[in-house]
Structure formats: structure tokens, C-alpha cells
Amino acid sequence: MPRLVLLTEGFTGRSFELKAERSTVGRLEDNAFQIPAPSISGHHCEILLKGNDVVVKDLDSTNGTFINGEQVTEATLPVGHTVRFGSVEARLEASAPTGASGKKILDKTAVLPQGVKMNDLEQGTQKITTFDKNSPFKKKSNKTTLIFIIVGVVIALAIIGTLVFVFLGGDK
């Protein structure tokens, strides 16, 4: 069973299964597929199922109905193509095939990598990379740290010396 999947931001992911022979699309609640967007007319268009074809029929909407960028009054919408109601875009998708049990059959089976195994880490397969002098990842120089430590020690000694002078030398 075909379905329309909305692509426009704010409506992304919303979809509508085309189950009936005639479905209406519009902003008002009495439509089969309600899309509450200001660019969509109250009763914007009809979606008709004619055999294996999906036909889109504009209902004299204010902002028009477009298939692949071309304005239409009535046209067939092929699977995979886009239809735009005002400024809201949707794509027609065929539903996934179902098996005899009625459950969806998966299109593809994906094999996910297991990542790094514990044995690989223990054997030391990781190569340690060294960087040259011009690399932005080279080890930083300790000169700045050493200067801050020396300045901090000098200031601390000056403060201690001043306190000793005030408390011991100031009584004479």
C-alpha cells in the first residue's frame, strides 16, 4: 500500500497510508490527511488510487499542487517522486512487502562490525604514533610551567619574609 511521507521541516517523518480509493489533503480536520500549515488550503487536493496508479487532483487550492516542481491540476504521481502542497513537500513511497505471516520482510540485512577485541589490545596491535616538531599535536614545552612555578615561589617567599619581618622585626 503506497504512502505519502512529509519531507518539510516541522512535519518531517509524518506519513499517510493511502488505503482508500479517494483521500483528501488539506488544512481542515475533515480531511483524510490533515496538514496544519498556512500555505495549504482547507481542502487542497485529492489523492486517487486508480489501479496501480496514484493520481493527484488539485481542488483549486490557493498555493497550488506541484509534482517534481511542475504545477498540476491532475496528474499521476510515480513512486519515489515528490508532490508539494503549497510549501509542504511529500514523497510517495511504496510500502514494504509483507510475507505470508503478514509481517514486514526486511529489505537488507546489515552486518555490524564488533569493534576492537580484548585480545587485539593485549597483543599490542595499536601503534604508538610520534609527532615531528612542526606537528600541531607535539608535546608542549614545560618552560611556561617552570616560569610560573619560579615566580610563585618567589612571591610566596616575599610574602613569608614580609610577615616574619612585621611580626618579629617590628617589635624592636
Side-chain angles (χ1 to χ4, degrees):
M1 189 166 308
R3 66 185 177 141
L4 284 174
V5 178
L6 295 182
L7 305 172
T8 303
E9 189 175 335
F11 299 103
T12 306
R14 279 189 57 193
S15 65
F16 177 71
E17 295 279 337
L18 300 172
K19 297 176 184 175
E21 281 185 29
R22 178 185 171 273
S23 302
T24 57
V25 176
R27 191 178 64 245
L28 299 177
E29 291 179 10
D30 64 345
N31 289 288
F33 188 25
Q34 180 194 15
I35 306 172
S39 67
I40 296 181
S41 296
H43 296 102
H44 198 92
C45 70
E46 289 179 331
I47 310 287
L48 307 167
L49 296 179
K50 294 185 177 180
N52 290 333
D53 291 337
V54 176
V55 178
V56 178
K57 181 179 177 185
D58 188 73
L59 297 175
D60 295 323
S61 62
T62 304
N63 295 315
T65 302
F66 301 81
I67 293 180
N68 295 329
E70 290 187 36
Q71 189 166 7
V72 297
T73 52
E74 185 171 339
T76 301
L77 177 63
V79 172
H81 290 242
T82 59
V83 59
R84 193 176 80 229
F85 315 111
S87 65
V88 177
E89 195 169 49
R91 180 178 53 241
L92 180 65
E93 294 182 353
S95 61
T98 56
S101 65
K103 293 184 179 179
K104 287 188 178 182
I105 298 172
L106 298 177
D107 294 334
K108 296 178 183 176
T109 301
V111 177
L112 300 176
Q114 293 181 351
V116 179
K117 296 179 183 171
M118 189 59 122
N119 292 341
D120 293 342
L121 291 175
E122 290 172 356
Q123 292 174 2
T125 57
Q126 300 278 338
K127 184 177 178 183
I128 298 174
T129 306
T130 56
F131 298 105
D132 64 352
K133 294 179 185 177
N134 297 327
S135 171
F137 301 107
K138 66 182 177 184
K139 185 175 178 181
K140 300 269 182 183
S141 168
N142 287 335
K143 288 181 184 177
T144 308
T145 306
L146 184 60
I147 291 171
F148 278 115
I149 291 172
I150 292 172
V151 170
V153 169
V154 169
I155 291 174
L157 287 174
I159 292 173
I160 292 172
T162 305
L163 290 174
V164 169
F165 177 76
V166 168
F167 288 114
L168 296 178
D171 292 342
K172 293 183 183 177

